[in-house]
Amino acid sequence: MDPLISIQPSEPAAVYRPGDRFECEYQIDAVEATEVQAVEASLLWYTEGKGEDDMGVHFFQRRTSYDAEDHDLRALHRFKTDMPRSPLSYDGLLFRIRWCVRVRVFLRRGRSLVAEQPIQLGPRLTHLNPEPAATAESTGA
Amino acid sequence: MARFFRLWQKKRGERRTGSRLAGTVGEAAFFGALFVLGAVALAAYWTSQAIAPHPDFFTIGWGTWLATFVLASFILIGGAGLFFTVLEVGASAERRSALARRAGDIELIRESRSRFRRFPTIPRDVNLTNSPGVRLAYRLPGLESPAWRLVAAAVTALLCVGIDTVLIAVAIRAFHIGKPEMALNAFLVPFSSVTAWSVYYFTRQLLLHTWIGPTSVEISDHPLYPGRAYEVVLVQGGHLKVNHLRLALVCEEEVTYRQGTDLRTERRTAHEGDVFERGGFTIDPSAPFEHCERFAVPRAAMHSFQSAHNAITWKLVVTLDLHRWPRVVRGFPVVVYPLIEGAERGSAD
């Protein structure tokens, strides 16, 4: 059975505004303490859609067993940061910009597990064109 | 069954469908083998000379030094590839991105008072605000330079005319001495057509450049914010009979992706709003067309955005439908920032 990762932002349903204080806690269950070698928590944006995926990390924290009390990385851990001013969440025609909290757990023997909790930065912005025209061009490589 | 025989475990771009571990091991093995091959071969090559010296070994020429250069490049490429592959083992995408961001922050330390650190992923507007306007605060630069197109057309036309002239002279001489070159004559027909088209295209570009005249767009403030109104002045010179002129505020999404070995770019209009339209008038060289108008950026508009493969760009687009001329479209980029109280240029810098 895979370990369970729970992520709980302080206001999971809320829309965060740029500059807002963001607090989040996470916990790991269903795994032995000695199995967990490191945990990485990130607050990041990424794009998804027709183009190649891009990603930007706003907050990043890596903890190993030496950083944790009793060398146990499973315990509830909280982090906080200020939300950035951009990019805002966006639903476009060709791509979307998403924000999420991502927790990555590194286990023994090179295994790793990822859990995500989506959040929203800014109002829900979409494209404003009801009938968009597409133009495509290609450059050989 | 096709998936079992696929040579490259790659669906599109950087999205992998195969095992990441297997890919990393394969990459490390490739670079490692290249490094070992280069090192062993270079050592053997030079050791053989040390054991049994040859008098011509060090003479200047291609053999010895070319072999040394190629083998040394194997060592360098293999070593660097292996080093970076090993460096990435165990490092998550988030960790690499965070390290890259930290490195970027160090570079930006010099730029105190920089808005770009406080508004990540929004493109810089330095080049848009370094030219003051005559009537309003800023004169916006054009997106495309017609001069480059004109220069390219001129060079192409000159080359074609030069080659065509020489070939025609050769063909005429061959005809005069009674030995016509049929292959050359057959080649001259399509090539002369290409030359004629290049001359026509150059002439058209020259006329477009000189006859239509420059388009100038000035704006009252920059960057722009959603929901805010701005003044814009459009000045169009030339000697023209204009059927229709339109100035529009356009937002485009742009993505790039790899498809096989092609790098493709696709754009879609996410917003297009008229600033003003005018029809049925003439422009005289002594009296350029000039119009001032107010426009607003939509309140629900997305801000400008730029990442490695995805972008949202804003621009003011001038479209000219002219009498006896092809349609002329000229774009002038602007940058839209998200509207955040207390974070605008005046209060935040």
Side-chain angles (χ1 to χ4, degrees), chain A residues 1-68:
Chain A
M1 184 182 166
D2 281 339
L4 301 173
I5 306 168
S6 64
I7 305 169
Q8 192 66 46
S10 55
E11 295 174 58
V15 175
Y16 291 90
R17 290 176 308 174
D20 276 358
R21 194 69 173 160
F22 176 81
E23 292 186 29
C24 180
E25 53 191 29
Y26 62 87
Q27 191 170 14
I28 302 154
D29 284 316
V31 64
E32 291 295 320
T34 52
E35 276 287 299
V36 184
Q37 292 199 318
V39 179
E40 289 178 359
S42 331
L43 175 64
L44 58 97
W45 62 265
Y46 61 93
T47 62
E48 57 179 21
K50 198 158 188 179
E52 303 270 338
D53 298 342
D54 292 326
M55 182 182 77
V57 174
H58 172 65
F59 172 87
F60 178 80
Q61 185 182 54
R62 180 182 168 89
R63 295 165 61 232
T64 60
S65 54
Y66 298 107
D67 304 318

Side-chain angles (χ1 to χ4, degrees), chain A residues 40 50 54 58 86 90 94, chain B residues 12 92 101 120 253 270 307 309:
Chain A
E40 289 178 359
K50 198 158 188 179
D54 292 326
H58 172 65
S86 63
Y90 176 66
L94 292 175
Chain B
R12 199 188 73 191
S92 61
R101 183 183 168 226
E253 291 179 18
S307 63
H309 306 97

Side-chain angles (χ1 to χ4, degrees), chain B residues 109-120:
Chain B
I109 287 170
R110 287 177 237 121
E111 297 180 43
S112 59
R113 297 165 60 86
S114 167
R115 270 178 293 132
F116 314 115
R117 293 180 69 192
R118 290 180 289 108
F119 287 95

